Amino acid sequence: MSKKDNIPYKIYLSEQESPKAWYNVRAEMKTAHRPILHPGTHKPVTEEDLRPVFCDELVKQELNDKDSFIEIPASIRDFYKMYRPSPLVRARFLEQALQTPARIYYKYEGGNTSGSHKLNSAIAQAYYAKAQGLKGVTTETGAGQWGTALSMACGYFDLDCRVYMVKVSAEQKPYRKIVMETYGANVTPSPSDTTNIGRKMLADDPNTTGSLGCAISEAVEAAVSAEGYKYVLGSVLNQVLIHQSVIGLEAKAALERYDAYPDILIGCAGGGSNLGGLMAPFMADRLAGKKSPRFIAVEPASCPSMTRGRFAYDFCDTGMVTPLAKMYTLGASFIPASNHAGGLRYHGMSPILSQLYHDGYLDEARAVGQRSVFEAAGLFAKVEGLLPAPESAHAIRVTIDEALKCRESGEEKTILFGLTGTGYFDLAAYAQYNDGTMEDYIPTDADLARGFAGLPDVSDAE
Ligand SMILES: *Cc1c(COP(=O)(O)O)cnc(C)c1O
């Protein structure tokens, strides 16, 4: 029997084997992503520009394109011990159900109270805020996983945590709010009347259900106008991809034990952090010409930033207060249709992932309809036992499709996907799917044109 057939259902690394440094794929990229620009001057941002908004150490990480490895501080490694290393699971029951010769693995990041991978970065950001002597941090949350993760991290380090939660999510997921408050966070539905930008949004449209971009604007305003506070963000930024590299480093080490290596690597992509993290060490092999796994990013057909967006400079928020990033974007004013239930609703994509996609290293982006996503989630739940987050189920959908292709062709490919979280707070969406009221809405070109019309005019001689 080869080592490959001898793989246990779950592979756990030991505490000693867990990574001591994060991996920064930027240091290896063939083409650097275009610089982040100051929203007023359109000049590349400097450390000084970013310091009023972010913690000092995180500013350095944000701009770091030199160091491949960044040491993980001991306090963060201690916290990671509570829920890491996370298991790498061989999805044998899914393979059996699909009758595929493919070998399917998933890296499971849902084994903590926040229910997602977001805690990996939340604890790092809270640590640096505490180390700098801050009173607290502000942030936004959409579906609520990031807000929960940050609440946990701030609770641990005794920092004040102010969360602006997209109004429609706050209404749909009251229990999320309660979890965050239990960890000591202060949760405000956004738009709110506590900021200038929130008041303006409400005046423009009193019935607005809010958006992630708008919640970001409020959180940034709240941070810069309060002494001792900084703003933190759970995805998109380079620093977040650095922290999330623990996912990929652990997955790679676990696979290496059994001489396994992915032919296909699949991740759902909202702002790009879990995929960026899972992919990073494998991308390093690809960039070094050692291996050529196929990378696939999966996004909702209702929020198709990579498959139908523009590669352009855009604001990271609706209020147009954040710096400009060159990324695949639907325009900062884009808001997915209200019947969209599957998460991944951000208008843009990580500049790192965007550049890798533009250059053909991230091979493919695929958009999937939400009913097919929930169908995949249901199958996965039945055979593998875990109720996946709808976001994660995007990756499951494409994993199943790729495994079925292997059944047709007889190829024994190794597929690795990121199971980013659990779906216990997404039961309203599951209910919609179960009772047949869930609909797919794919934006028309005219819908998208409205978002593109708001793109800032930035001359970018590349
Ligand atoms: C936030 C989230 C995502 C998407 O965010 P990325 O930054 O693209 O990883 C995916 N899955 C879960 C469970 C999430 O909470």
Side-chain angles (χ1 to χ4, degrees):
M1 207 160 34
S2 83
K3 243 180 169 180
K4 272 192 180 150
D5 298 312
N6 214 2
I7 294 176
Y9 178 65
K10 278 186 185 162
I11 309 174
Y12 283 102
L13 296 177
S14 68
E15 227 171 82
Q16 288 71 30
E17 289 170 294
S18 51
K20 300 197 173 39
W22 292 301
Y23 177 66
N24 178 16
V25 74
R26 258 183 103 188
E28 250 79 49
M29 281 167 65
K30 305 283 181 202
T31 324
H33 72 63
R34 304 289 294 146
I36 308 293
L37 303 182
H38 189 283
T41 63
H42 290 190
K43 295 236 162 61
V45 292
T46 59
E47 287 194 18
E48 289 70 45
D49 293 329
L50 293 180
R51 262 195 226 120
V53 183
F54 299 119
C55 305
D56 294 351
E57 197 56 37
L58 293 168
V59 168
K60 286 192 196 132
Q61 291 183 5
E62 194 58 32
L63 299 176
N64 188 335
D65 58 0
K66 298 281 180 298
D67 301 316
S68 304
F69 288 94
I70 295 170
E71 195 188 318
I72 308 174
S75 307
I76 300 175
R77 276 169 43 207
D78 280 345
F79 186 90
Y80 279 167
K81 283 177 193 163
M82 286 194 257
Y83 68 105
R84 311 202 69 82
S86 69
L88 182 81
V89 185
R90 170 87 182 262
R92 287 192 189 272
F93 304 111
L94 181 62
E95 290 171 15
Q96 280 161 19
L98 300 174
Q99 298 187 332
T100 174
R103 295 185 174 91
I104 304 174
Y105 296 88
Y106 61 87
K107 181 70 169 157
Y108 178 52
E109 292 293 321
N112 68 78
T113 297
S114 79
S116 83
H117 65 288
K118 296 222 169 58
L119 192 54
N120 301 331
S121 184
I123 193 64
Q125 298 194 43
Y127 167 81
Y128 290 117
K130 187 73 184 180
Q132 197 177 320
L134 297 180
K135 287 186 204 142
V137 291
T138 70
T139 198
E140 75 294 331
T141 196
Q145 287 96 322
W146 168 246
T148 310
L150 190 69
S151 306
M152 291 172 71
C154 287
Y156 184 74
F157 283 124
D158 195 20
L159 279 169
D160 186 32
C161 181
R162 299 185 182 170
V163 180
Y164 286 86
M165 184 169 189
V166 179
K167 196 197 273 172
V168 60
S169 300
E171 284 161 7
Q172 282 170 359
K173 302 183 173 186
Y175 290 118
R176 272 276 178 213
K177 187 163 172 273
I178 298 168
V179 179
M180 289 185 252
E181 288 167 349
T182 303
Y183 281 96
N186 190 312
V187 183
T188 307
S190 165
S192 74
D193 60 7
T194 66
T195 63
N196 290 328
I197 188 77
R199 285 188 286 272
K200 180 172 178 304
M201 299 272 172
L202 286 172
D204 288 350
D205 178 6
N207 297 318
T208 177
T209 54
S211 72
L212 212 46
C214 172
I216 295 175
S217 312
E218 286 206 270
V220 172
E221 186 184 321
V224 296
S225 51
E227 178 70 31
Y229 283 78
K230 298 282 170 184
Y231 166 71
V232 295
L233 178 64
S235 184
V236 189
L237 298 176
N238 298 339
Q239 54 186 273
V240 182
L241 266 75
I242 291 174
H243 306 149
Q244 294 298 354
S245 67
V246 287
I247 306 174
L249 292 165
E250 285 181 9
K252 191 155 182 263
L255 285 171
E256 269 166 8
R257 264 206 207 156
Y258 295 91
D259 291 341
Y261 197 91
D263 298 302
I264 306 175
L265 188 152
I266 299 167
C268 62
S273 75
N274 85 85
L275 175 59
L278 177 65
M279 181 170 90
F282 299 98
M283 182 58 81
D285 289 348
R286 169 84 174 260
L287 291 166
K290 288 193 209 151
K291 296 267 189 186
S292 50
R294 181 172 178 77
F295 299 105
I296 307 178
V298 190
E299 62 183 14
S302 46
C303 192
S305 56
M306 295 179 92
T307 50
R308 295 174 69 198
R310 298 254 172 91
F311 187 46
Y313 268 107
D314 195 9
F315 292 96
C316 299
D317 68 322
T318 312
M320 305 187 178
V321 296
T322 58
L324 300 160
K326 177 129 184 208
M327 58 185 175
Y328 281 86
T329 178
L330 296 166
S333 63
F334 179 84
I335 296 179
S338 59
N339 69 13
H340 170 70
L344 309 173
R345 36 174 52 245
Y346 186 62
H347 66 272
M349 184 54 59
S350 137
I352 293 177
L353 249 58
S354 292
Q355 189 67 47
L356 288 168
Y357 180 50
H358 189 68
D359 294 343
Y361 291 104
L362 200 182
D363 299 275
E364 185 188 344
R366 209 178 288 178
V368 289
Q370 62 178 354
R371 276 186 303 195
S372 79
V373 166
F374 279 84
E375 183 200 11
L379 172 66
F380 186 85
K382 279 178 205 135
V383 299
E384 288 285 329
L386 287 170
L387 184 74
E391 291 91 341
S392 320
H394 287 74
I396 297 174
R397 172 75 266 163
V398 168
T399 296
I400 291 175
D401 293 343
E402 291 300 308
L404 291 175
K405 277 186 206 160
C406 290
R407 181 167 81 187
E408 295 290 303
S409 66
E411 285 171 291
E412 295 183 17
K413 286 189 179 161
T414 297
I415 302 174
L416 169 64
F417 77 90
L419 186 63
T420 49
T422 46
Y424 306 124
F425 286 107
D426 301 286
L427 298 179
Y430 273 98
Q432 267 181 34
Y433 178 72
N434 294 341
D435 66 20
T437 53
M438 177 173 279
E439 282 170 30
D440 281 311
Y441 182 78
I442 298 180
T444 62
D445 288 343
D447 293 335
L448 296 187
R450 280 193 288 278
F452 297 143
L455 284 172
D457 191 11
V458 178
S459 66
D460 178 36
E462 209 174 316

